[in-house]
Amino acid sequence: MIRITLTSALLAAAAATSALAHATLEQKTAAPGETTKITLRVPHGCDGEATHTVRLTLPDGFYAAKPMPKPGWDLSTEDGPYATPYDNHGTKMTSGLRSVTWSNGHLEDGWYDEFTVRGTFGAELAPESVMVFPAVQTCANGTADWTDTSGSHDVPNPAPSVTLVAATDSAEEHAGHGGHGATDGAAQTAGALEITGGFSRATLPNAPVGGGFLTIVNTGTEDDRLVSASAAVAGRAEVHEMTMADGVMQMRPLPDGLPIPAGGTVELRPGGHHLMLMDLKEALVEGETVEVTLTFETAGEVVVPLAIGAPNARGAMDHSGHMKKD
């Protein structure tokens, strides 16, 4: 009886672990302008059933893509227009591969496999952009879909994603050049806090997330804390930080908020602390302005305008660095 009970418990634990395993991408980060492999990792089937079809959808901004065939699987593709044309080694590309389907295969629930596409991320894409690759597994009597593009960590079916990180960001931040333009524009005040240099970056149509950057100066004698943010243009907003771990740049939310020490200055900038505008309801258009509401533990709420610059802008009023497109 004891042996049977222990065996059942182990099997139940294994099943639970399998159910919690998400389909993810091997690549965690990439750089704008970089040609790279995107490898979908499939760790299990659909509620115990074998997977016979895998479909991967490619986001805007990932172009000139080519799928890798898999022995024992049929390969089919779908093309479509790009949101913006690209110059691919002298060839103007206005459309290309938008989804890949591997079908008529057999991947047991207890097996693991990978499905790969090679392509290029547009050079005009902003660092900190999260590029999502929705995927769907199809089995005999159901599906396992990984299609939620909200960026939430609490959903059961997050879409696999890659975070774009500029190769020069780390060096520029350490050299103190990451905040160019951070003091441009009139200051917004909330209690002892002064907020300046608010800016965002233009996004592609249908992009799910955008960024927000600004400088906060605490002129008072008491510490404060940025506890939350919101924006009408986004379903939700979060305060995030980017850190380097084992040579890989990682981004995570700050559920306890961001401390603003008395007499100190805190910069929300590319490659460091920043606002994430998630579930965007419309594209962020260069030359326009988006308003965010910041809530501080002591100072309360303040509405801050963010000037929308180029997709790779590094400060307020920075419209440089456009990628040339025909």
Side-chain angles (χ1 to χ4, degrees):
M1 178 65 72
I2 294 175
R3 182 177 300 172
I4 294 174
T5 301
L6 289 174
T7 301
S8 300
L10 290 172
L11 289 174
T17 301
S18 176
L20 292 173
H22 296 159
T24 58
L25 300 183
E26 177 183 348
Q27 299 75 14
K28 301 303 181 186
T29 60
E34 179 182 7
T35 297
T36 185
K37 292 194 303 180
I38 294 297
T39 303
L40 177 69
R41 302 184 295 189
V42 178
H44 59 76
C46 319
D47 293 328
E49 292 188 338
T51 299
H52 61 69
T53 299
V54 174
R55 176 184 172 87
L56 184 68
T57 301
L58 312 184
D60 279 323
F62 188 70
Y63 70 99
K66 296 181 179 180
M68 180 182 291
K70 288 184 67 64
W73 296 73
D74 295 335
L75 177 66
S76 61
T77 60
E78 292 183 15
D79 289 354
Y82 293 142
T84 184
Y86 292 93
D87 182 357
N88 185 31
H89 302 289
T91 300
K92 181 180 179 180
M93 298 189 68
T94 59
S95 63
L97 185 65
R98 303 313 305 268
S99 69
V100 184
T101 301
W102 294 268
S103 59
N104 296 322
H106 186 83
L107 178 60
E108 289 285 350
D109 179 61
W111 296 353
Y112 166 90
D113 208 344
E114 298 178 342
F115 301 79
T116 298
V117 175
R118 181 177 182 272
T120 302
F121 289 105
E124 84 288 357
L125 296 172
E128 288 87 49
S129 295
V130 178
M131 307 297 290
V132 293
F133 291 76
V136 176
Q137 301 169 237
T138 304
C139 303
N141 296 295
T143 61
D145 73 284
W146 312 103
T147 57
D148 188 287
T149 60
S150 67
S152 172
H153 300 278
D154 301 324
V155 297
N157 61 329
S161 65
V162 169
T163 300
L164 298 186
V165 180
T168 58
D169 270 356
S170 178
E172 290 179 355
E173 299 302 338
H174 287 295
H177 299 298
H180 288 317
T183 59
D184 294 341
Q188 309 296 312
T189 60
L193 305 181
E194 294 182 355
I195 300 100
T196 59
F199 76 98
S200 185
R201 289 165 160 173
T203 63
L204 290 169
N206 301 317
V209 297
F213 314 97
L214 45 88
T215 298
I216 306 169
V217 178
N218 187 345
T219 64
T221 58
E222 296 183 1
D223 295 344
D224 207 332
R225 182 180 295 270
L226 175 59
V227 294
S228 66
S230 63
V233 74
R236 59 194 176 88
E238 295 179 352
V239 184
H240 280 221
E241 70 170 354
M242 295 193 74
T243 57
M244 186 70 72
D246 298 325
V248 177
M249 190 71 78
Q250 297 180 349
M251 181 170 61
R252 69 180 184 91
L254 297 176
D256 297 326
L258 178 63
I260 315 295
T265 298
V266 176
E267 290 187 65
L268 278 67
R269 60 188 183 182
H273 295 107
H274 58 279
L275 302 176
M276 283 292 288
L277 308 179
M278 311 177 83
D279 298 335
L280 286 178
K281 301 173 184 178
E282 58 189 64
L284 303 182
V285 179
E286 183 178 351
E288 296 183 357
T289 300
V290 59
E291 291 187 339
V292 297
T293 300
L294 306 180
T295 302
F296 295 92
E297 193 171 62
T298 300
E301 291 188 355
V302 59
V303 177
V304 179
L306 305 180
I308 303 174
N312 57 352
R314 301 198 59 78
M317 309 305 293
D318 180 2
H319 297 272
S320 63
H322 294 284
M323 175 185 177
K324 183 177 181 182
K325 297 186 285 288
D326 295 328

